[in-house]
Amino acid sequence: MSAARLDGAPVAAAIRATVREHVARLSELEVTAGVAVVLATDNESTAWYVRAIEREAGLLGIDCMVHDLGQATTGRIAQRIEELNRNPLVHGIILQTPLPDGVEAADLVGLISPAKDIDGANPLSLGRLSVGLPAFAPATARSVMEILEHYRVPLTGQHVTVVGRSAVVGKPLAQLLLGKDATVTTCHSRSANLASYTRRSAVTIVAVGRAGLLTGRHVTPESVVIDVGTTVDGQGNLIGDVDAASVGSTARALTPVPGGVGSVTTALLMLHTSEAALSGSCVSPAGAREGELMAGQW
Ligand code: NAP
């Protein structure tokens, strides 16, 4: 392996330090930041992720309220989201998928107040990002940006290829990258000759969910590769979209899986929650980061 390893741990640590500053400022205002997680599934990997959010919140002094609605209907989940929108103790709302059969996330995410939409699920948030207005980006997309910034990967004027065009990762990432003056190509399942794009890119970000999609032939010794994908193999191991052996021996830098993008996401959800709490308390967070919401901006 010759590629430099872009670990998520130091990035998450830096984000946690900012969250602790926010929490201290909130405490002076006698405010405790609160995040609500709404779930309606007994899916084991969702349960694992929700426990990770609870742990992260506990570590940082943020209240985490889990609303487990069981096999709820669209109406019941919608009602809970509306209640949480009105609850002043809740600054961030996460609607966890998967949802019960017959319940479409698309019918619900638009109900989350944009000011509390800390995982950028409401289409309004993506729309605002697209036109350069403040909005919370989906945590995974922003995690990628935080990793690139932490490791000082140049983006201005650079060609970046994003593989994957979902509303939660690929599309918001493309917008965030455009906001950093990168020249962005988005590839997807119908894109012909993926390597012709990735080999011409300074940075390649893969968010597909297909193990081993990106191999050594897709990269050059100058490539920086960010692996967002997560798949569980037959032995229960978490693996990414990148063939770590061939890409690792060719590329300049690569994020590991696990230990890369995924290890930053929960810290970022807490950063968004503390930012939302500060905005709601009419205080602009110190060292405001791009995309951050300020009081009265909605
Ligand atoms: P998704 O909604 O299934 O989207 C996958 C995207 O990949 C689609 O745009 C699809 O193209 C594209 N694609 C499929 N096959 C392809 C191929 N052969 N070549 C190029 N593109 C291809 O998935 P997602 O929600 O964006 O998640 C993507 C991956 O990231 C998954 O592995 C997921 O588990 C992981 N993830 C990780 C984190 C984390 O914190 N680390 C968070 C969220 C997601 P079409 O649009 O043409 O179908």
Side-chain angles (χ1 to χ4, degrees):
M1 177 86 108
S2 62
R5 190 182 147 106
L6 307 180
D7 279 312
V11 185
I15 291 168
R16 287 187 190 110
T18 304
V19 177
R20 287 196 177 93
E21 284 169 27
H22 289 176
V23 166
R25 294 175 64 210
L26 285 163
S27 142
E28 285 165 16
L29 302 166
E30 300 185 354
V31 173
T32 302
V35 59
V37 184
V38 178
L39 72 154
T41 176
D42 53 10
N43 179 289
E44 189 41 49
S45 60
T46 302
W48 182 90
Y49 185 57
V50 171
R51 281 196 295 276
I53 293 172
E54 286 184 288
R55 251 195 324 274
E56 187 80 40
L59 189 73
L60 295 168
I62 290 177
D63 274 351
C64 182
M65 299 147 259
V66 176
H67 296 253
D68 186 350
L69 305 184
Q71 289 294 306
T73 59
T74 302
R76 179 142 181 261
I77 301 171
Q79 186 186 15
R80 186 58 58 94
I81 291 172
E82 302 284 14
E83 286 164 14
L84 294 169
N85 282 338
R86 290 192 297 272
N87 186 339
L89 300 178
V90 173
H91 304 98
I93 300 171
I94 300 168
L95 176 64
Q96 201 56 57
T97 55
L99 293 165
D101 286 347
V103 179
E104 296 296 331
D107 294 333
L108 292 164
V109 287
L111 300 175
I112 301 173
S113 161
K116 298 189 179 189
D117 185 25
I118 55 147
D119 205 8
N122 187 328
L124 256 181
S125 300
L126 180 55
R128 289 181 64 98
L129 277 182
S130 306
V131 292
L133 289 171
F136 290 117
T140 304
R142 189 169 167 193
S143 295
V144 171
M145 299 304 291
E146 294 286 335
I147 289 174
L148 292 169
E149 188 179 328
H150 182 92
Y151 290 103
R152 298 170 199 263
V153 177
L155 293 175
T156 304
Q158 300 295 316
H159 184 196
V160 180
T161 294
V162 179
V163 191
R165 58 173 166 180
S166 72
V168 288
V169 192
K171 283 185 179 137
L173 247 180
Q175 298 305 328
L176 292 170
L177 290 160
L178 284 172
K180 291 290 181 189
D181 299 320
T183 302
V184 184
T185 298
T186 301
C187 293
H188 46 78
S189 66
R190 303 294 183 91
S191 301
N193 198 358
L194 182 62
S196 70
Y197 301 100
T198 57
R199 287 185 61 83
R200 278 191 288 125
S201 299
V203 179
T204 293
I205 303 163
V206 205
V208 170
R210 187 180 280 213
L213 178 79
L214 202 87
T215 64
R217 76 179 182 84
H218 292 96
V219 297
T220 72
E222 300 308 314
S223 306
V224 173
V225 181
I226 309 291
D227 191 354
V228 182
T230 52
T231 310
V232 180
D233 72 7
Q235 286 76 51
N237 302 312
L238 195 66
I239 45 174
D241 287 344
V242 172
D243 174 44
S246 63
V247 172
S249 62
T250 310
R252 189 169 124 223
L254 170 65
T255 55
V257 176
V261 176
S263 57
V264 179
T265 312
T266 51
L268 207 29
L269 287 171
M270 297 308 127
L271 178 66
H272 284 178
T273 303
S274 68
E275 288 173 348
L278 282 171
S279 295
S281 308
C282 296
V283 176
S284 64
R289 294 167 181 237
E290 196 169 333
E292 190 167 55
L293 291 177
M294 298 302 169
Q297 280 186 319
W298 289 101

